[in-house]
Amino acid sequence: MYKVRVILDTQEDVIRTITINNTINLEDLHFTIAKAFGFNGLEMASFYRTDDEWNQGEEIPLFNMAEAGEGISMASCILHQTLVNTNDKLIYVYDFLHMWTFYVEVVDINNQLITESKTLLSVGEIPKEAPEKEFKAEDFGKDLDDEFKDDIDPYDDYDFNEY
């Protein structure tokens, strides 16, 4: 049995601690998390491998997206093979239109067998709308324009004598 803590990425604390069978796949975990937070589980979702600092890594999509079918999916990833140790983590993104983002962490692993998942702890209510995500990118264009503005004559590429 795994005890997993799932935290919604919001300013207010919204946490669920659930117990799940360690032989389920990540697709079953997806439905368990969605249900624990009041979602129907019908939207697209992905898990992302992460390190201890929650840096997003390899995507594990709900469906196999590879052309030849050799890619990974939630159905092909078994929980005890994906999250091997206590404190292993995943990022879970549910509903790509709204980007509900959750932090998933294994808090306990034991040999107890359970037949169905249970929510042990429920803290906070999920907001009516997903928190806005702000994606920042560096403005590389200004640096390049400033660096080359004196070196490039925009008319160098034209041979005005031919016209």
Side-chain angles (χ1 to χ4, degrees):
M1 177 211 43
Y2 272 49
K3 186 185 294 183
V4 178
R5 180 169 299 122
V6 184
I7 303 170
L8 177 62
D9 185 18
T10 60
Q11 287 186 341
E12 301 295 321
D13 289 339
V14 182
I15 303 167
R16 304 292 184 266
T17 301
I18 56 178
T19 56
I20 49 179
N21 189 324
N22 65 340
T23 61
I24 67 170
N25 60 29
L26 291 186
E27 185 176 15
D28 293 331
L29 179 60
H30 149 70
F31 286 117
T32 301
I33 293 171
K35 180 180 173 186
F37 283 89
F39 296 117
N40 59 19
L42 300 178
E43 301 297 332
M44 287 298 296
S46 284
F47 284 100
Y48 296 88
R49 297 184 195 275
T50 185
D51 60 16
D52 287 336
E53 269 89 59
W54 297 102
N55 294 308
Q56 184 174 318
E58 176 189 22
E59 179 181 15
I60 304 170
L62 183 57
F63 301 107
N64 183 346
M65 303 293 189
E67 288 182 28
E70 72 275 355
I72 65 171
S73 69
M74 289 184 198
S76 66
C77 293
I78 306 301
L79 185 66
H80 68 87
Q81 295 170 343
T82 307
L83 297 171
V84 179
N85 300 308
T86 302
N87 298 322
D88 281 355
K89 300 167 175 54
L90 292 170
I91 296 172
Y92 171 64
V93 177
Y94 177 78
D95 186 355
F96 292 134
L97 293 178
H98 296 101
M99 297 296 288
W100 293 98
T101 304
F102 301 84
Y103 301 105
V104 180
E105 181 174 7
V106 177
V107 293
D108 187 30
I109 301 172
N110 64 49
N111 293 330
Q112 181 182 352
L113 296 176
I114 60 171
T115 55
E116 66 180 56
S117 303
K118 290 183 183 178
T119 301
L120 299 178
L121 175 69
S122 180
V123 174
E125 296 295 321
I126 193 157
K128 292 183 189 288
E129 293 183 14
E132 287 189 31
K133 297 291 178 204
E134 185 176 324
F135 295 100
K136 294 182 180 180
E138 293 184 33
D139 190 358
F140 294 110
K142 285 184 181 177
D143 294 340
L144 290 176
D145 288 344
D146 291 343
E147 185 176 334
F148 294 111
K149 74 178 183 180
D150 295 329
D151 296 338
I152 298 176
D153 182 0
Y155 300 107
D156 279 350
D157 291 339
Y158 300 103
D159 187 1
F160 292 106
N161 295 334
E162 291 183 17
Y163 296 103

